[in-house]
């Protein structure tokens, strides 16, 4: 029914969407998702003839929409905008009646039938009781319903919605999406809805289109589109995607919100040698992945120590701003030897904490796997006149692995049982 | 549920006809009262007798010139007041709708300043006698239209016109024109009071039947054309993009409404000077009374504006034959406008 062919869209010459093709059939309910600025609203503007494409075309039943008049298109395609400010106190009924305008002649007035359609749409969207109230006095959700009613009053075949729930609370979001879903199913509309909430989108849409950087990154059933890999590429965010067994729909959780499993779910024990916040990118993540983690020598009130304490990890602590004592070093060595893998983060190394590297050497000496995160490179954080650099070289010679950064180390650790 | 909504509502047409009839009645009543007001009281009997004599072609004795004053001064002036009042309120209401700004007024797009400049130059250069004695009006009207084209051209960028650029271009061009008016005033020593009185907004000038007829034709035609855009103006109230998605060709609408408003405003200003606040306040009152639908708003505001200016001019005339009605409308309009501003409903 509605078809986009190799659309390239631009504002003032700078392209926003490139080479976008898709089609939307009668009865389909498709979600358009993507990060802010990925071009979702731009696509809606192009599909509704507001923004002419730089290249490509939009076809409605095979006819280029730019060959139709605005009125012709408005009889077949309706748009529910994100949010509107209404300049004048039109009543809700008057606003909904505006949806009949494309069907009227130039000087024609609305007839009884138009009033009936408007009233039916007001009832369908549950705002009939506000029909005679000025729309400027309605709440955001009520106003959004009026706008949906207005779009329905156009009696369209295609319905485009640009984040219809953007400014609503979660209850209203669900109400509105339920409503749109039901109505478009009843009327066999081809519906495209822009949503920024991936979970709502997965829940409600038959298929999803994921835009990233103005290109269509993925298109298909929610389960195929909403994957950890796609989300990372489109949003630059680490997430966990679970498929809900009850619905078969994917559910996305941002990793920092993931719960930490109380008992470890993996066998591998990891000892993390860190300090000064260098352990933060790893500590919680490793626990979320299910490893048991211990931490060595951290000064009290250091951000790594606070995180370890918050996660209740076994750890060796030293008094604030103090060098590592012989006693602490011994305990650190024991924890390191008891682990399967020792990870040394890119800590600044001075005379006071050279023991931390010594502990890794000891662990390596008894055959433990050692990962050295060389970020930033050791030369820049060696405040022990070359001794830290020498110890790192010694470790590497003894078989320790050098990792570019925390993500590299995580990648290697994720594979462990 | 639907049972409560099936009650037949009066159609828009019926409502429009009722309101228009009522307000036309109000206008006629105002006109009737206004023609009585002035330095010379004119009894209806004289008017009726002279009209009868005129129709039958009989000579009419008019020892006190009462019939002459009525037919040549009072009646044209009162009717011109109605024309100007309608012009200002219809163009004001249309511009408020177009710019989606309830505080817009017909002088916002700079046309009035242009017309004022033309009329001032015509006064100083004594061009008033050209064009059959209508030199000042014709030149004022023409320079108003030139200003309008200048504003339209300035506001246009890349084949599109943002609504806000109309306001910007109008304000800038207007200020420039006002500066030129000041230059003209400085030069014009002996015509100073004529120009200033005219600028304040005045219906006491040389109001001939030709002036009334021509301005009524221009204003009437312009208002009718503006009215043909009333429904599109409604759709614009939800934003330009929404309007386009509802089938409105917004670019041509904007150009059309601004040009027509300018035309109507220039016609009004060139015969009456700058009469302030009518075009701003009366559409507001009409919107409060009759709703936001421009198909109802424009005609009701126009009729209301006509009655209002006729009444205001009668009041001004009661003070003094040459008291500028523009001063009166500003004195009444500004406080009322403050009231509107203070009681403006909070939109979410």
């Amino acid at each position: 029914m509605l078809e986009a062919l190799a659309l390239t869209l631009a504002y003032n010459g700078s392209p926003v969407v490139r080479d976008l093709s898709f089609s939307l059939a009668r009865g389909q309910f498709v979600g358009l998702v993507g990060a802010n600025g990925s071009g979702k609203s731009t696509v809606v503007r192009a599909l509704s003839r507001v923004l002419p494409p730089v290249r490509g075309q939009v076809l409605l039943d095979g006819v280029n929409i730019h060959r139709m008049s605005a009125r012709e298109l408005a009889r077949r395609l309706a748009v529910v905008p994100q949010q509107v400010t209404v300049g004048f106190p039109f009543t809700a009924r008057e606003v909904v009646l505006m949806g009949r305008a494309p069907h009227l002649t130039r000087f024609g007035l609305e007839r009884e039938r138009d009033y009936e359609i408007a009233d039916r749409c007001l009832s369908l969207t549950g705002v009939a009781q506000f029909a005679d109230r000025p729309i400027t006095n309605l709440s955001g959700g009520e106003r959004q319903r009026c706008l949906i009613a207005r779009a329905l009053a156009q009696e369209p075949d295609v319905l485009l919605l640009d984040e219809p729930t953007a400014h609503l609370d979660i209850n209203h979001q669900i109400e509105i999406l339920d409503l749109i879903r039901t109505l478009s199913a009843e009327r066999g509309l081809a519906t495209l809805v822009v949503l920024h909430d991936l979970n709502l989108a997965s829940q409600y849409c038959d298929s999803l289109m994921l835009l990233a950087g103005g290109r269509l990154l993925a298109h298909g059933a929610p389960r195929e589109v909403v994957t950890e890999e796609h989300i990372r590429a489109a949003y630059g965010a680490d997430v966990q995607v679970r498929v809900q067994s009850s619905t078969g729909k994917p559910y996305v959780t941002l990793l920092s919100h993931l719960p930490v499993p109380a008992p470890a779910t993996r066998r591998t024990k990891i000892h993390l040698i860190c300090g000064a916040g260098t352990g933060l990118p790893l500590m919680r993540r490793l626990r979320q992945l299910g490893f048991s983690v211990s931490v060595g020598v951290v000064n009290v009130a250091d951000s790594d120590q606070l995180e370890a304490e918050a996660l209740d990890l076994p750890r060796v602590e030293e008094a604030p701003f103090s060098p590592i004592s012989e006693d602490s070093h011994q305990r650190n060595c024991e924890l390191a030897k008891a682990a399967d893998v020792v990870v040394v983060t890119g800590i600044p190394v001075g005379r006071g904490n050279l023991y931390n590297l010594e502990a890794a050497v000891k662990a390596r000496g008894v055959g433990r796997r050692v990962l050295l995160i060389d970020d930033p490179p050791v030369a820049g954080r060696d405040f022990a006149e070359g001794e830290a650099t020498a110890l790192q070289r010694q470790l590497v010679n003894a078989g320790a692995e050098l990792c570019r950064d925390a993500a590299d180390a995580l990648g290697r650790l994720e594979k462990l049982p | 549920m639907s049972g409560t909504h099936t009650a037949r509502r009066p159609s828009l047409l019926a409502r429009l006809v009722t309101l228009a009839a009522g307000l036309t009645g109000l206008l006629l009543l105002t006109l009737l009262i206004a023609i009585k007001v002035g330095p010379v009281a004119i009894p209806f009997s004289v008017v009726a007798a002279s009209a009868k004599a005129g129709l039958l072609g009989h000579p009419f004795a008019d020892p006190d010139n009462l019939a002459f004053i009525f037919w040549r001064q009072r009646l044209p002036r009162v009717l011109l007041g109605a024309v100007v009042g309608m012009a200002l309120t219809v163009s004001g209401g249309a511009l408020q709708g177009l710019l989606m700004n309830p505080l817009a007024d017909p002088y916002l797009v700079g046309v009035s300043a242009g017309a004022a400049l033309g009329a001032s130059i015509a006064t100083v250069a004594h061009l008033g006698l050209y064009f059959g004695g209508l030199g000042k009006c014709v030149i004022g009207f023409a320079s108003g239209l030139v200003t309008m084209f200048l504003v339209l051209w300035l506001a246009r960028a890349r084949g599109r016109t943002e609504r806000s650029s109309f306001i910007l271009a109008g304000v800038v061009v207007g200020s420039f024109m006002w500066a030129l008016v000041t230059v003209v005033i400085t030069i014009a020593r002996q015509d100073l009071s004529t120009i200033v009185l005219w600028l304040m907004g005045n219906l006491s000038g040389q109001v001939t039947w030709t002036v009334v007829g021509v301005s009524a034709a221009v204003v009437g035609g312009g208002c009718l054309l503006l009215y043909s855009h009333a429904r599109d103006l409604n759709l614009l109230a939800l934003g330009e993009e929404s309007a386009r998605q509802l089938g409105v060709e917004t670019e041509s609408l904007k150009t059309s409404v601004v040009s027509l408003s300018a035309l109507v405003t220039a016609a009004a200003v060139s015969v009456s000077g700058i009469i302030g606040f009518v075009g701003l306040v009366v559409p507001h009152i009409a919107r409060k009374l009759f709703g936001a639908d421009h198909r109802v708003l424009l005609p009701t505001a126009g009729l209301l504006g006509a009655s209002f200016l006729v009444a205001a001019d009668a009041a001004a005339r009661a003070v003094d034959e040459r008291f500028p009605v523009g001063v009166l409308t500003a004195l009444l309009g500004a406080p009322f406008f403050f009231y509107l501003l203070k009681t403006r409903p909070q939109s979410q």
Side-chain angles (χ1 to χ4, degrees):
Chain A
M1 172 150 281
L2 189 69
E3 232 177 325
L5 297 179
L7 277 186
T8 295
L9 309 170
Y11 292 118
N12 299 325
S14 54
V16 178
V17 172
R18 286 191 188 80
D19 204 28
L20 176 71
S21 297
F22 65 89
S23 65
L24 185 64
R26 184 174 282 283
Q28 270 189 327
F29 196 92
V30 176
L32 183 59
V33 292
N36 288 337
S38 60
K40 303 183 300 274
S41 296
T42 308
V43 171
V44 171
R45 302 184 77 218
L47 296 180
S48 60
R49 198 180 168 279
V50 170
L51 180 73
V54 179
R55 270 197 305 280
Q57 46 188 350
V58 180
L59 304 180
L60 181 60
D61 281 338
V63 182
N64 187 337
I65 57 168
H66 283 274
R67 303 225 164 177
M68 304 179 181
S69 72
R71 271 164 56 83
E72 273 178 277
L73 184 65
R75 278 179 224 138
R76 308 212 33 215
L77 179 145
V79 181
V80 177
Q82 204 172 101
Q83 190 197 24
V84 293
T85 42
V86 187
F88 299 106
F90 284 99
T91 65
R93 180 184 282 116
E94 282 172 331
V95 169
V96 176
L97 269 174
M98 288 180 192
R100 297 305 299 159
H103 296 275
L104 303 177
T105 57
R106 175 79 198 250
F107 297 103
L109 296 172
E110 292 89 353
R111 291 160 187 277
E112 197 53 40
R113 192 178 110 79
D114 299 305
Y115 281 95
E116 278 164 16
I117 291 172
D119 280 355
R120 200 160 56 235
C121 294
L122 279 162
S123 298
L124 273 176
T125 54
V127 281
Q129 69 272 35
F130 305 125
D132 296 309
R133 289 248 295 267
I135 191 160
T136 39
N137 293 357
L138 300 186
S139 75
E142 290 156 0
R143 205 176 324 166
Q144 201 62 43
R145 285 160 178 273
C146 290
L147 294 176
I148 294 170
R150 189 191 64 170
L152 292 175
Q154 281 173 260
E155 299 190 311
D157 302 317
V158 182
L159 186 60
L160 308 178
L161 304 103
D162 188 3
E163 299 207 20
T165 61
H167 304 276
L168 305 179
D169 62 48
I170 184 70
N171 284 322
H172 283 102
Q173 289 185 10
I174 290 172
E175 270 178 33
I176 295 276
L177 286 171
D178 278 335
L179 175 70
I180 301 166
R181 174 91 227 199
T182 316
L183 291 174
S184 50
E186 280 171 3
R187 301 182 169 214
L189 303 180
T191 309
L192 179 78
V193 53
V194 173
L195 287 171
H196 68 247
D197 187 316
L198 286 167
N199 290 324
L200 280 179
S202 306
Q203 195 75 40
Y204 282 95
C205 302
D206 307 326
S207 66
L208 293 179
M209 296 195 287
L210 176 61
L211 277 183
R215 287 175 190 279
L216 193 56
L217 185 72
H219 183 185
R223 213 201 295 222
E224 297 154 23
V225 173
V226 180
T227 64
E228 289 172 10
E229 197 187 342
H230 285 153
I231 304 306
R232 196 174 297 131
Y235 293 83
D238 280 316
V239 296
Q240 185 193 60
V241 177
R242 288 246 169 85
V243 176
Q244 294 167 292
S245 50
S246 53
T247 57
K249 303 275 189 183
Y251 192 84
V252 178
T253 315
L254 265 174
L255 279 180
S256 63
H257 296 161
L258 272 187
V260 175
T265 53
R266 304 204 197 206
R267 282 190 275 114
T268 309
K269 292 178 183 159
I270 296 173
H271 183 65
L272 189 61
I273 294 176
C274 57
T278 55
L280 290 178
L282 289 173
M283 223 181 285
R284 181 174 293 264
R285 183 75 189 109
L286 288 174
R287 281 295 290 122
Q288 285 169 339
L289 285 170
F291 293 107
S292 39
V293 180
S294 57
V295 177
V297 188
V298 284
N299 291 95
V300 170
D302 175 288
S303 49
D304 282 341
Q305 184 268 336
L306 293 173
E307 176 82 339
E309 192 173 24
L311 291 167
D312 202 18
L313 303 181
R315 59 195 178 274
V316 183
E317 289 173 355
E318 190 56 78
F321 306 111
S322 307
I324 298 172
S325 65
E326 185 67 33
D327 178 46
S328 302
H329 176 52
Q330 285 311 324
R331 284 191 287 130
N332 195 23
C333 287
E334 280 158 31
L335 278 180
K337 287 176 188 165
D340 303 302
V341 183
V342 175
V343 179
V344 185
T345 62
I347 21 173
V349 187
R351 294 246 169 246
N353 63 347
L354 264 178
Y355 270 146
N356 262 342
L357 289 182
E358 302 265 12
V361 174
K362 288 264 163 52
R364 182 67 205 138
V366 293
R368 300 290 172 264
R369 188 176 170 189
V370 175
L371 301 185
L372 295 170
I373 301 177
D374 199 25
D375 175 33
V378 68
R381 51 186 168 86
D382 181 354
F383 303 100
E385 286 140 41
E387 286 189 46
T389 316
L391 275 173
Q392 175 155 322
R393 194 176 310 123
Q394 184 189 335
L395 272 166
V396 172
N397 288 340
E401 304 162 41
L402 266 186
C403 304
R404 274 191 321 280
D405 51 24
D408 182 15
L410 262 181
R412 299 177 196 213
L413 293 168
E414 266 173 346
K415 296 180 190 121
L416 299 175
Chain B
M1 173 128 196
S2 65
T4 53
H5 294 282
T6 47
R8 254 190 90 84
R9 67 189 74 73
S11 75
L12 186 73
L13 190 65
R15 199 163 151 250
L16 197 54
V17 168
T18 319
L19 284 175
L23 289 169
T24 307
L26 176 71
L27 176 60
L28 288 175
L29 189 68
T30 316
L31 287 170
L32 267 179
I33 296 168
I35 53 177
K36 293 283 285 176
V37 179
V40 183
I42 302 166
F44 277 119
S45 57
V46 176
V47 175
S50 67
K52 189 175 164 193
L55 281 175
L56 298 174
H58 295 319
F60 179 68
D62 190 18
D64 301 319
N65 273 339
L66 286 181
F68 180 83
I69 292 174
F70 177 79
W71 291 112
R72 291 299 179 84
Q73 290 180 6
R74 192 67 55 78
L75 188 60
R77 174 170 175 168
V78 166
L79 290 179
L80 189 68
V83 170
V84 169
M86 174 169 285
L88 295 178
T89 40
V90 172
S91 61
L95 277 178
Q96 288 174 2
L98 182 81
L99 302 173
M100 225 172 102
N101 186 343
L103 305 183
D105 94 344
Y107 300 149
L108 197 68
V109 281
V111 179
S112 49
L117 178 63
S120 311
I121 291 174
T123 310
V124 174
H126 302 289
L127 302 173
L129 292 174
Y130 291 87
F131 303 104
L134 294 177
K136 201 162 105 176
C137 302
V138 173
I139 292 168
F141 181 65
S143 65
L145 290 190
V146 169
T147 315
M148 173 197 86
F149 285 118
L150 189 63
V151 169
L152 282 178
W153 176 74
L154 280 175
R156 206 166 170 76
R158 286 189 222 94
R160 291 206 51 203
T161 318
E162 296 296 332
R163 288 189 277 184
S164 55
S165 37
F166 278 128
I167 304 182
L168 286 175
V171 167
V172 170
V173 171
S175 311
F176 184 76
M177 295 287 177
W178 277 123
L180 290 179
V181 170
T182 315
V183 171
V184 173
I185 291 177
T186 322
I187 296 167
R189 300 197 180 279
Q190 73 221 51
D191 300 311
L192 188 63
S193 70
T194 319
I195 297 181
V196 171
L197 267 182
W198 183 86
L199 285 180
M200 285 175 178
N202 215 315
L203 289 163
S204 65
Q206 292 272 306
V207 181
T208 64
W209 278 107
T210 321
V211 170
V212 176
V214 172
S215 55
V218 174
V219 168
C223 287
L224 276 181
L225 287 173
L226 272 177
Y227 188 61
S228 73
H229 296 300
R231 193 176 68 210
D232 286 350
L233 285 175
N234 287 348
L235 299 183
L236 210 52
L238 298 190
E240 201 169 327
E241 203 163 303
S242 278
R244 290 172 77 176
Q245 287 158 347
L246 280 169
V248 181
E249 306 283 357
T250 50
E251 285 305 312
S252 69
L253 176 71
K254 283 184 284 189
T255 314
S256 194
V257 169
V258 168
S259 316
L260 289 168
S261 303
L263 179 87
V264 167
T265 306
V269 171
S270 64
V271 296
S272 66
I274 314 289
I275 298 178
F277 285 97
V278 179
L280 177 59
V281 171
V282 177
H284 260 286
I285 300 174
R287 200 174 284 119
K288 283 208 164 171
L289 293 177
F290 311 121
D293 188 337
H294 289 88
R295 291 173 296 182
V296 177
L297 177 71
L298 292 185
T300 52
L303 289 167
L304 213 54
S307 306
F308 175 77
L309 195 60
V310 168
D313 186 47
R317 208 161 51 232
V319 176
D320 181 89
E321 182 78 7
R322 297 196 69 191
F323 187 81
V325 64
V327 175
L328 196 72
T329 56
L331 285 175
L332 290 175
F336 188 77
F337 186 68
F338 274 128
Y339 163 76
L340 286 180
L341 214 56
K342 283 287 176 196
T343 58
R344 223 179 146 187
Q346 290 275 307
S347 60
Q348 295 161 11

